[in-house]
Amino acid sequence: MNREAIGRLVVRLYPQEVQETTGRELVGTLLDAGDMSAAAYLLELASLVRSGLWARAKVELTRPLGQIVASALCWLAVMDAMSVLVSVVGIRLYWGDTPGSSPETVAYAYILPALILVVSTLRRCRITGILGLAWVAIFLYQHQKMSTGVFLEAVPLQTAGFALLVARPDKPLPAGRFLWPAPALVWLVYQVTLLGQQSGVGKITPVLAALVLLPWAPALALGTALDWGLTAIYYLNLHHIAQSDPHFVVEAVEFGVGIPVAMLVVSLARRAAKTA
């Protein structure tokens, strides 16, 4: 890849407005530095990368709070589908088990989650929402006698997120469509290793992975934290079923702690972006 192509690629880190107004100028500055020396070129390249990431972070973090919340709700729904897919893959890799072979189970565990991730990455929001609502409908069909805890964990917020994608396909997912594999990979590590499953830190690593991506996709970070935080409801439900077994309360706290952490970090990052 030549220097100009690298420059054009780096400019894509900047917000769309900057790309259109000063993109050529930024590439020209990089090429001028390259004419001086290789060291000057690398220093200018590093400066462009840093400035581009910070410019994008400011745009994302200073979006209206309502837009970030709506996007986080949509990301929660998408990431929940991802977590189901990664979970069944992880269980199959680690234990050799499968979630079942009925058409409904295959559609719910494999086909629809994979399609949801593909079309959301392609920014086909309305199609994502329609597939997501079908995915939730299959869950309801399969769990007609579910407990209140299971319902609250898997249905209301996911339905709202997918419905929002259908109703407002031009709004909900401003950033993060190429970043979701990072928390997905961490969640897979959690599923297939004893370190992840037996460690409190392991249970919040998907949240930590999302927070690393927060400057460029705060809604994705918050949505991911909310998604795994909902697992706390599942463990509280087990706590009730198991006649107040304190082990499940500890599990609930370990999963739920990511929510306030993510909200605090988003708040601090927004304040820093507005005052910078």
Side-chain angles (χ1 to χ4, degrees), residues 87-230:
S87 294
V88 295
V89 170
I91 290 171
R92 187 164 189 172
L93 289 174
Y94 190 77
W95 300 105
D97 297 334
T98 60
S101 58
S102 68
E104 296 87 358
T105 300
V106 171
Y108 177 79
Y110 294 105
I111 297 175
L112 283 176
L115 288 175
I116 288 169
L117 292 174
V118 170
V119 295
S120 63
T121 302
L122 296 175
R123 196 172 280 176
R124 301 296 189 268
C125 292
R126 179 162 285 159
I127 298 175
T128 301
I130 293 171
L131 291 173
L133 291 175
W135 182 69
V136 174
I138 292 175
F139 179 84
L140 291 172
Y141 174 77
Q142 292 182 311
H143 299 81
Q144 297 181 28
K145 296 182 179 180
M146 76 184 83
S147 65
T148 302
V150 172
F151 175 82
L152 292 175
E153 179 200 4
V155 177
L157 293 180
Q158 290 83 347
T159 301
F162 286 127
L164 186 57
L165 284 166
V166 174
R168 303 182 64 188
D170 58 327
K171 297 291 185 183
L173 299 176
R177 60 196 179 106
F178 297 115
L179 301 178
W180 62 262
L185 179 61
V186 177
W187 185 244
L188 180 61
V189 172
Y190 164 74
Q191 290 291 329
V192 301
T193 64
L194 290 175
L195 175 63
Q197 296 186 31
Q198 296 182 0
S199 166
V201 175
K203 293 178 175 61
I204 65 169
T205 44
V207 176
L208 298 177
L211 293 180
V212 171
L213 304 171
L214 183 143
W216 307 284
L220 170 61
L222 187 56
T224 301
L226 292 172
D227 175 39
W228 275 293
L230 288 175

